[in-house]
């Protein structure tokens, strides 16, 4: 293991000059690479726009983050290509029990990949950040863009802290994470993975959290969604697919009937390319109730589900009922919980479903960006916000996400209304979105 970095000293010493936030194209979530290969193979002619969306509207990002620093970080990310070691690791490593999950033709294309141009402006105290171009390229901006904006906000919040204040801040944050680790030790059967890249406090802090979990809960820690961290710390890289696939397929649909079938078309494409342990369903892009209502019977044979926006216990119970109705044994299935989890939610959910279904927990923002109460003086900029980077159009057509939580819906208002007519609004419950 590499020697531990003194995070407080590093933060103080970089003197707010360009200290790159993104240092590798592998500093992204694993599902991005799996989806990228599918997009490259099946949909490389599709044009797609991704847009930064701040759902915490009370936070005026353009007032907190210097535009020059933001452009420096975005420009630096555009300069990065894959290194030889990274290419060899990707091509030769075993993922989900499969060797060479990335085929040689894809790797030859990816070897020369660079992030495309961006558009940045300001409006009403927010940054308007968008990425236009081939879907194969714009999709790869999502995670770096989020990581850059979140870390620049953290840096801005800490810029006036001296070395001792920074020491105290990180000492308290470390103690806070470790207290969570100690709670999890009482439940060695819980399987935890790090899903915290997109809204992390910083890349150094995410690494510290990952190493803390690796030491603290041992085999209960199953890996990280961050590809670079997985490579550097000899952990499993974890992840399957995300909402952008059904969102783009739906945007490309030429009729309401094609729109209704879009989520299942995605699954068929995914199964054609991957299959095996990667058969995890993400059901809530247009509402879980609608997905389960219209799902073909073969969907019940997939490994499991990742309910992303419904309350954990309510969402899990709904899926278990559906498996039973389809004649499948839930005890042989897997549910991956990953929406705004913290240690109490993880433990409560595990205790509720223990013995009834296999479970895994993807721990995100509340692992890698929980600094509330840690600063010597209260600093609002250290509180995590709900920031996303979503696909907003495909081939010039608006892309929509309905979600089980209307507060997470994105897209053109008239298109959202159309999608609600097609899919219905059953069981959608409005909840505050905190992270």
């Amino acid at each position: 293991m590499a020697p531990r970095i003194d995070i407080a000293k590093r933060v103080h010493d970089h003197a707010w000059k360009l200290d790159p936030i993104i240092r590798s194209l592998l500093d992204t979530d694993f599902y991005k690479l799996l989806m990228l290969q599918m997009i490259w193979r099946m949909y490389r002619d599709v044009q797609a726009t991704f847009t930064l969306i701040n759902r915490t509207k009370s936070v005026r990002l353009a007032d907190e983050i210097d535009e020059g620093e933001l452009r420096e970080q975005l420009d630096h990310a555009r300069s990065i290509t894959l290194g030889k070691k990274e290419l060899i690791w990707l091509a030769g490593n075993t993922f989900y029990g499969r060797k060479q999950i990335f085929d040689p033709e894809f790797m030859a294309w990816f070897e020369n990949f660079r992030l495309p141009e961006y558009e940045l402006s300001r409006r009403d105290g927010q940054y308007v950040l968008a990425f236009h171009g081939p879907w194969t390229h714009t999709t790869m901006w999502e995670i770096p863009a989020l990581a850059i904006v979140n870390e620049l906000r953290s840096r801005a919040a800490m810029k006036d802290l001296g070395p001792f204040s920074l020491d105290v801040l990180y000492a308290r944050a470390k103690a806070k994470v470790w207290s969570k680790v100690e709670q999890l030790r009482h439940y060695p059967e819980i399987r935890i993975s790090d899903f915290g890249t997109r809204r992390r406090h910083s890349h150094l802090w995410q690494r510290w959290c990952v190493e803390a979990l690796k030491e603290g809960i041992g085999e209960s820690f199953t890996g990280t969604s961050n590809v670079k961290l997985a490579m550097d710390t000899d952990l499993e890289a974890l992840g399957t697919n995300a909402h952008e696939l059904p969102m783009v397929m739906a945007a490309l649909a030429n009729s309401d009937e094609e729109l209704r079938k879009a989520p299942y078309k995605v699954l068929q494409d995914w199964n054609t390319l991957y299959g095996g342990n990667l058969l995890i369903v993400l059901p809530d892009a247009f509402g879980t109730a609608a997905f389960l209502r219209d799902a073909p019977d073969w969907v019940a044979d997939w490994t499991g589900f990742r309910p992303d926006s419904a309350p954990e216990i309510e969402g899990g119970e709904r899926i278990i009922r559906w498996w039973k109705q389809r004649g499948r044994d839930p005890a042989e299935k897997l549910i991956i919980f990953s929406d705004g989890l913290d240690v109490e939610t993880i433990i409560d959910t595990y205790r509720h479903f223990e013995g009834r279904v296999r479970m895994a927990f993807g721990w995100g923002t509340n692992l890698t960006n929980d600094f509330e109460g840690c600063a010597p003086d209260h600093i609002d900029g250290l509180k995590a916000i709900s920031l996303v980077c979503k696909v907003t159009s495909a081939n010039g057509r608006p892309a929509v996400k309905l979600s089980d939580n209307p507060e997470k819906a994105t897209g053109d208002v008239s298109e959202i209304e159309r999608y609600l007519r097609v899919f219905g609004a059953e069981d959608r419950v409005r909840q505050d979105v905190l992270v």
Side-chain angles (χ1 to χ4, degrees), residues 122-309:
R122 295 168 178 247
R123 185 169 62 230
D124 299 329
Q126 301 294 343
Y127 281 116
V128 181
L129 179 59
F131 312 97
H132 309 281
W135 190 15
T136 48
H137 287 67
T138 55
T139 183
M140 288 296 288
W141 258 123
E142 178 187 357
I143 308 302
L146 291 172
I148 286 169
V149 173
N150 277 293
E151 183 161 348
L152 283 178
R153 183 168 178 262
S154 297
R155 290 184 181 187
M158 297 185 297
K159 68 180 180 181
D160 294 327
L161 295 181
F164 288 96
S165 294
L166 286 168
D167 251 349
V168 170
L169 170 71
Y170 282 106
R172 289 174 176 172
K174 288 176 180 179
K176 194 172 187 180
V177 170
W178 197 251
S179 71
K180 298 178 184 185
V181 169
E182 290 176 326
Q183 291 180 67
L184 290 171
R185 282 177 171 171
H186 295 289
Y187 300 89
E189 299 304 314
I190 293 181
R191 294 294 175 257
I192 302 283
S193 56
D194 158 48
F195 278 19
T197 301
R198 61 181 54 226
R199 298 195 194 102
R200 66 192 181 193
H201 169 80
S202 72
H203 69 283
L204 291 176
W205 182 247
Q206 183 182 17
R207 180 168 187 140
W208 188 92
C209 291
V210 163
E211 291 178 344
L213 283 174
K214 189 176 181 180
E215 178 180 318
I217 60 175
E219 293 183 359
S220 296
F221 184 49
T222 57
T224 174
S225 66
N226 187 290
V227 186
K228 175 68 171 167
L229 278 175
M231 184 180 77
D232 289 348
T233 59
D234 194 28
L235 286 166
E236 292 291 328
L238 301 173
T240 52
N241 53 68
H243 295 110
E244 75 178 82
L245 294 182
M247 288 173 68
V248 170
M249 290 302 100
L252 298 178
N254 291 314
S255 67
D256 286 355
E257 185 58 25
E258 280 189 19
L259 174 59
R260 188 176 289 107
K261 292 180 179 178
Y264 316 113
K265 172 71 164 60
V266 168
L267 299 186
Q268 289 172 321
D269 289 345
W270 189 262
N271 191 26
T272 297
L273 189 57
Y274 293 118
N277 293 330
L278 287 164
L279 297 183
I280 302 296
V281 179
L282 182 63
D284 70 316
F286 311 120
T288 299
F291 181 93
L292 297 177
R293 181 190 66 223
D294 297 332
D297 193 61
W298 52 262
V299 175
D301 293 324
W302 276 41
T303 304
F305 277 70
R306 180 167 74 89
D308 185 62
S309 55

Side-chain angles (χ1 to χ4, degrees), residues 24-159:
S24 167
L25 287 175
L26 297 191
D27 187 8
T28 192
D29 284 334
F30 187 55
Y31 74 75
K32 272 291 167 183
L33 301 189
L34 294 174
M35 292 195 302
L36 179 63
Q37 180 169 236
M38 176 175 152
I39 295 164
W40 174 83
R41 179 175 286 187
M42 299 179 176
Y43 299 100
R44 67 182 71 175
D45 294 331
V46 172
Q47 301 288 305
T49 294
F50 281 72
T51 306
L52 188 76
I53 301 170
N54 180 12
R55 296 189 296 214
T56 310
K57 301 187 188 307
S58 60
V59 172
R60 295 168 60 88
L61 288 173
D63 294 341
E64 294 189 8
I65 297 171
D66 180 81
E67 183 175 339
E69 291 182 6
L70 177 54
R71 288 186 182 275
E72 279 186 320
Q73 295 290 347
L74 294 169
D75 290 341
H76 177 77
R78 291 196 63 226
S79 73
I80 298 171
T81 56
L82 289 166
K84 185 175 181 180
K85 176 185 174 183
E86 295 172 329
L87 288 163
I88 292 171
W89 183 82
L90 267 185
N93 201 43
T94 299
F95 301 101
Y96 285 91
R98 287 180 54 179
K99 291 184 178 180
Q100 291 189 317
I101 201 168
F102 300 107
D103 70 49
E105 284 186 280
F106 170 75
M107 290 302 301
W109 172 83
F110 195 33
E111 181 177 0
N112 299 308
F113 181 89
R114 286 179 188 264
L115 290 167
E117 294 181 359
Y118 61 88
E119 290 184 2
L120 178 65
S121 60
R122 295 168 178 247
R123 185 169 62 230
D124 299 329
Q126 301 294 343
Y127 281 116
V128 181
L129 179 59
F131 312 97
H132 309 281
W135 190 15
T136 48
H137 287 67
T138 55
T139 183
M140 288 296 288
W141 258 123
E142 178 187 357
I143 308 302
L146 291 172
I148 286 169
V149 173
N150 277 293
E151 183 161 348
L152 283 178
R153 183 168 178 262
S154 297
R155 290 184 181 187
M158 297 185 297
K159 68 180 180 181

Side-chain angles (χ1 to χ4, degrees), residues 176 180 339-347 363 366-367 370:
K176 194 172 187 180
K180 298 178 184 185
D339 182 32
L341 301 178
D342 207 350
V343 64
E344 294 83 9
T345 316
I346 292 170
I347 291 171
W363 198 3
N366 289 319
L367 170 65
D370 184 6

